[in-house]
Amino acid sequence: MANEGGAGEGSAQRTGRGGLWYVAVLLAAAVVVLAIQALLTIAYVGLSGDHAGRGPKVLVASADRDVAGGIANRMNALDGHPLRAFVASDRTAAESDLADGDASAVLVFTPDQASDAILTDSAADAADVAASTAILRADEAAQGRAAAVRDVAPTQPGDPRGQVSGYLVLCQSVSGFVIAAALGAWLHGRRTGFSRLRRTLLAAIVFSLGSGAFGAWLVVSGTRSLSAPWLPLALACALVAGVSAVLTFAAIGVFGPGGAVLPALMLATFSGPYAASDASLPAITRAVVHQLPGGAGVDLVRDVVYFHRDHVLRPAGTLGWWLLGGLLVMFLAGANARRVGDPPPGPAQ
């Protein structure tokens, strides 16, 4: 009888600890859901607004900042406000902003010459580049000056609108999501321990590597849409698929199979062309989109394809943080399943 009483007391203690753990997981999940809601709301509102009225963003660079300020003011006063002009600190900073997608074009004004330079980046946003270039050239002509246009990252023949990167990331995200949704639902129904969870995660990693290799081959050799080194592109695609799979595992572990809708919304919506660098978007929307896995994935693929991997650290780091966060939630959810879902071991065990 004493043993039975002790066993009952131990069971009650385990149940109490399991209840506290469950409450902690629910609170953490609520914080995560509200954070995702805030990110999606900011991004959706920005993407759905009328950005044509805002006009593309251009930078004016000149050795004489007063002259550059006058040019920017003249452009901002154009009828209909077709663009937004700002003064750059110098040409190097302006080119850096252009490469990061923070501007659609840069006007380099040279006071002691009769012609200026217009720098563009078609790979970031071909539509905004075309609009801003036309306006800048017309304004230069009206001032009796010539302007030579140099595209620092022209789009490739198979990617005329610069959207193949977005579609590729979308496909990789869906690939990782589907395999994780299938495996995650199977795991959730069995409340498996860490051993099987690790084996399933290993299978998802292997699948992500294969998916990345196949996706890179499709766009480089299959459809010939992009010209890029295959291995770096394959690794970038594999990272995107891996993040998608891990986030899906984590959502299913916390919310059950129905929780897969959360990463589906975040990954699919902002992995396509909407994740493109768009200098006409509100600043807060652009900042949010590039911090989401889809936006970071598009930046990573574009850096591999168009910028010779000169800017891969930022998007790769963003994806890395999402990957680590997803793994943490995934294994915490697995621990919770063991605590509150599995029966306590019997005396013989």
Side-chain angles (χ1 to χ4, degrees):
M1 296 292 293
N3 290 339
E4 290 180 2
E9 183 178 351
S11 177
Q13 291 176 349
R14 284 191 296 270
T15 301
R17 288 195 298 269
L20 291 176
W21 181 263
Y22 184 70
V23 170
V25 170
L26 281 182
L27 290 176
V31 172
V32 170
V33 170
L34 291 176
I36 292 176
Q37 176 185 345
L39 291 174
L40 294 179
T41 300
I42 293 172
Y44 269 120
V45 169
L47 291 171
S48 62
D50 181 13
H51 305 113
R54 291 174 51 86
K57 176 181 177 181
V58 301
L59 299 175
V60 182
S62 175
D64 190 331
R65 288 181 59 85
D66 291 335
V67 173
I71 295 173
N73 290 335
R74 185 180 72 242
M75 292 180 181
N76 288 325
L78 293 174
D79 292 340
H81 304 288
L83 51 76
R84 296 169 296 132
F86 299 86
V87 177
S89 57
D90 53 48
R91 176 168 178 167
T92 301
E95 291 182 350
S96 178
D97 289 343
L98 184 67
D100 290 338
D102 292 332
S104 298
V106 174
L107 174 64
V108 182
F109 182 80
T110 309
D112 57 351
Q113 296 182 10
S115 62
D116 303 314
I118 299 176
L119 308 180
T120 61
D121 178 6
S122 296
D125 194 323
D128 271 358
V129 165
S132 57
T133 301
I135 296 169
L136 290 176
R137 297 189 75 167
D139 182 74
E140 286 282 283
Q143 304 303 316
R145 299 180 63 84
V149 179
R150 181 170 70 88
D151 200 337
V152 298
T155 55
Q156 298 182 5
D159 186 23
R161 299 180 63 189
Q163 293 184 341
V164 171
S165 299
Y167 288 121
L168 176 60
V169 171
L170 172 61
C171 294
Q172 294 300 133
S173 298
V174 171
S175 177
F177 167 78
V178 169
I179 188 65
L183 293 175
W186 178 74
L187 281 176
H188 182 80
R190 286 160 177 76
R191 294 189 181 275
T192 52
F194 285 120
S195 177
R196 185 171 294 177
L197 190 63
R198 286 195 298 266
R199 291 197 298 269
T200 305
L201 180 60
L202 178 60
I205 292 173
V206 173
F207 175 85
S208 297
L209 291 173
S211 174
F214 183 61
W217 176 85
L218 281 175
V219 296
V220 172
S221 301
T223 63
R224 299 186 183 276
S225 300
L226 297 176
S227 176
W230 174 82
L231 182 58
L233 184 59
L235 292 176
C237 291
L239 180 57
V240 170
V243 170
S244 175
V246 166
L247 291 180
T248 304
F249 275 134
I252 291 176
V254 175
F255 300 105
V261 69
L262 292 176
L265 282 173
M266 186 168 58
L267 294 166
T269 303
F270 298 105
S271 295
Y274 287 118
S277 298
D278 187 348
S280 68
L281 291 175
I284 187 172
T285 299
R286 291 194 66 255
V288 166
V289 168
H290 290 293
Q291 295 306 313
L292 293 174
V298 173
D299 288 342
L300 180 60
V301 170
R302 281 183 170 164
D303 286 336
V304 170
V305 175
Y306 287 108
F307 299 106
H308 309 290
R309 304 181 296 283
D310 292 336
H311 308 278
V312 299
L313 291 181
R314 181 180 58 81
T318 300
L319 290 171
W321 281 114
W322 279 99
L323 184 65
L324 291 176
L327 287 172
L328 178 62
V329 173
M330 178 180 170
F331 282 101
L332 286 177
N336 179 55
R338 292 288 292 171
R339 287 174 182 245
V340 303
D342 292 348
Q349 296 176 321

